[in-house]
Amino acid sequence: MDTDAAEPRVVVGVDGSQSSYEALRWAVRYADRIGGTVEAVAVWELPGLYGWSGPAVDMQMDEEETRQKMGQELTEVLGAEAAGSVRTRVVHGNAADVLLRAAEGAEVLVVGSRGRGGFARALLGSVSQHVSQHASCPVVIVRPRKQ
């Protein structure tokens, strides 16, 4: 047995939605049970970036804003101590594609059932549906708590 094997990685998508917060909580509990690490991934994408005109905003500023917001959300959802144990990644791109790449070699990919956009009555959001069909590891889809 290889004693230098890396800890199991639990990758979780965080987008500011209630279901992503539940996914984050689930990922932390699961990682604790299996002796793994949590890697929280936030994806940012500028609407219309690939259209006719160039971006009208500072892309580095948007990335930094996403990074700061993610840090605040982790602390609010998990508390300062638990948030400090979570590895974070902020990546520019398409959310489903970024999460699929991040999950390569992971123990599990955890996502919320629905993100911030889309149709309120949809059972699954487009990202959770896409990653559930294409991930190279098991996928856990977590629904938000009933209010």
Side-chain angles (χ1 to χ4, degrees), residues 39-54:
E39 182 178 313
V41 179
V43 181
W44 64 279
E45 184 173 33
L46 297 173
L49 180 62
Y50 305 105
W52 282 68
S53 64

Side-chain angles (χ1 to χ4, degrees), residues 8-23:
R9 264 184 334 121
V10 177
V11 177
V12 58
V14 179
D15 69 357
S17 67
Q18 288 303 311
S19 63
S20 80
Y21 295 160
E22 290 302 320

Side-chain angles (χ1 to χ4, degrees), residues 112-130:
S113 60
R114 290 192 17 77
R116 301 188 78 164
F119 300 100
R121 294 186 168 218
L123 181 60
L124 288 179
S126 59
V127 173
S128 58
Q129 184 171 2
H130 186 83

Side-chain angles (χ1 to χ4, degrees), residues 9-14 37-43 87-91 94-111 131 135-137:
R9 264 184 334 121
V10 177
V11 177
V12 58
V14 179
T37 60
V38 176
E39 182 178 313
V41 179
V43 181
R87 296 178 188 164
T88 61
R89 288 179 55 195
V90 175
V91 182
N94 173 276
D97 293 339
V98 168
L99 290 171
L100 289 172
R101 283 194 306 273
E104 289 175 4
E107 178 81 12
V108 65
L109 170 60
V110 186
V111 294
V131 300
S136 59
C137 65

Side-chain angles (χ1 to χ4, degrees), residues 61-80:
M61 186 173 182
D62 281 350
E63 180 178 359
E64 185 56 35
E65 184 179 321
T66 302
R67 192 175 308 284
Q68 288 176 356
K69 184 170 170 89
M70 181 183 195
Q72 290 171 345
E73 289 174 347
L74 290 178
T75 301
E76 289 172 11
V77 172
L78 301 173

